[in-house]
Amino acid sequence: MHTSEPLRGKTILLASSASKLDSLTGGLLSSGATVLSFPVIEIRGVQDTSLLDRALSTLDTYDWILFTSVHGVQYFFRHLHARNVDTSILGGLKFCVIGPSTASALRENGFEADLIPERFLAEGVVEALERHLGGLRNLSGRRILMPRARVARDVLPRALREAGAQVTIAVCYETVKAGVRRRDIRAVMEAAPDLIVFTSASTVRNTVEIFGPDQGRQLLQKSTIAAIGPVTAGAVKLFGKEVEIIPKESTIDSLIQAIKEHYSRRQPSASR
């Protein structure tokens, strides 16, 4: 195996949202992999934006805006511009984002993140705020806006509220199961992927649901699994499968690097 192509001969199934497929595909194809793109979730704006509208009308009363995903940034600003809200009102707020990709999305909309955690997950955000403010007790009375998905973990808002913060969750988008054709499902089973890459807990659940509980579990058991972070890995474990590859950072670039390193360490003759 050429060291520059550690994935040569490997068939990799990407179970992701369509928005993440391009960056994943390019990084893996360049290392010799055969890539099967399998979008299992779709991202769309919500119809009921009443909570978000209310938040936009009182933006100057907030201290922080917390973004936990790129989509949260995109749909927040999309809605803000659709309502003709003057973005200068955001100048007096502080921004906390869950990771570098979200910080980049924020920058594209003209603002810099004031705080990025070392661990790119909800628990890491709590830790970062604690350090930044000199203790969570200093969150007491602070008003925090969280534009996010309809369904999301409750870890972060619960911890902030327990510290005394006033948290407003403004739902601005939702993830739904993507429609997948039967022939695409058959193609995946026939390809017998060496590796499945999951980019969120919902991609795990949707994949198993799309294939059916028995066939879905069988697919997981027969493949090596790469998960973008511990929350996604936990979703895989619920189906009785341990994750072999978890990157040090919950980013696409780190995930691709972890996959390459995993196969670079293996002997060419090693079986899956």
Side-chain angles (χ1 to χ4, degrees):
M1 179 184 298
H2 300 293
T3 55
S4 61
E5 294 187 332
L7 305 180
R8 177 169 293 279
K10 301 300 180 184
T11 298
I12 301 178
L13 177 66
L14 304 181
S16 171
S17 63
S19 62
K20 293 180 180 177
L21 287 175
D22 286 346
S23 53
L24 275 169
T25 300
L28 297 173
L29 284 175
S30 64
S31 294
T34 297
V35 176
L36 303 176
S37 295
F38 199 67
V40 294
I41 60 174
E42 294 178 358
I43 312 297
R44 65 188 186 191
V46 295
Q47 291 186 341
D48 182 4
T49 61
S50 56
L51 287 176
L52 182 56
D53 289 332
R54 205 172 303 144
L56 292 182
S57 68
T58 58
L59 275 176
D60 58 346
T61 68
Y62 288 94
D63 299 291
W64 286 84
I65 299 183
L66 267 58
F67 289 111
T68 55
S69 71
V70 169
H71 301 303
V73 176
Q74 293 171 337
Y75 279 93
F76 173 81
F77 278 96
R78 187 178 301 177
H79 196 72
L80 184 143
H81 293 310
R83 293 294 186 272
N84 293 315
V85 177
D86 185 357
T87 56
S88 66
I89 200 171
L90 298 173
L93 281 65
K94 290 190 174 183
F95 294 94
C96 177
V97 299
I98 202 163
S101 296
T102 310
S104 178
L106 181 63
R107 188 176 303 113
E108 289 173 2
N109 283 279
F111 295 89
E112 291 292 333
D114 296 281
L115 187 61
I116 305 174
E118 294 180 4
R119 295 198 299 151
F120 307 147
L121 70 169
E123 291 84 352
V125 172
V126 175
E127 294 166 358
L129 283 168
E130 183 174 16
R131 286 193 299 270
H132 183 79
L133 296 172
L136 289 179
R137 65 186 180 282
N138 292 320
L139 277 172
S140 182
R142 304 285 181 100
R143 299 200 71 214
I144 299 175
L145 176 62
M146 291 184 60
R148 69 174 198 175
R150 183 183 302 281
V151 178
R153 298 173 71 214
D154 194 43
V155 171
L156 183 51
R158 186 175 65 246
L160 298 177
R161 285 169 176 153
E162 288 175 353
Q166 300 175 36
V167 180
T168 299
I169 295 175
V171 175
C172 56
Y173 73 97
E174 61 185 351
T175 60
V176 296
K177 185 176 67 174
V180 180
R181 297 172 298 185
R182 286 189 176 275
R183 66 182 184 186
D184 293 330
I185 296 174
R186 287 197 299 270
V188 169
M189 296 306 294
E190 291 171 1
D194 299 279
L195 173 70
I196 304 176
V197 179
F198 291 114
T199 57
S200 69
S202 59
T203 62
V204 179
R205 294 189 294 267
N206 287 1
T207 298
V208 173
E209 188 174 337
I210 287 168
F211 284 92
D214 294 335
Q215 202 169 35
R217 287 174 181 268
Q218 183 182 30
L219 182 66
L220 296 183
Q221 292 298 332
K222 289 185 175 181
S223 307
T224 298
I225 304 295
I228 197 167
V231 175
T232 306
V236 174
K237 193 172 183 178
L238 290 175
F239 293 101
K241 168 69 176 180
E242 292 290 339
V243 172
E244 289 88 352
I245 304 171
I246 305 176
K248 294 179 181 178
E249 297 182 348
S250 298
T251 65
I252 295 298
D253 288 344
S254 187
L255 178 59
I256 292 172
Q257 186 60 34
I259 292 169
K260 292 178 180 179
E261 290 175 355
H262 174 83
Y263 285 102
S264 293
R265 289 193 298 266
R266 304 182 69 183
Q267 297 298 320
S269 60
S271 59
R272 184 169 66 202

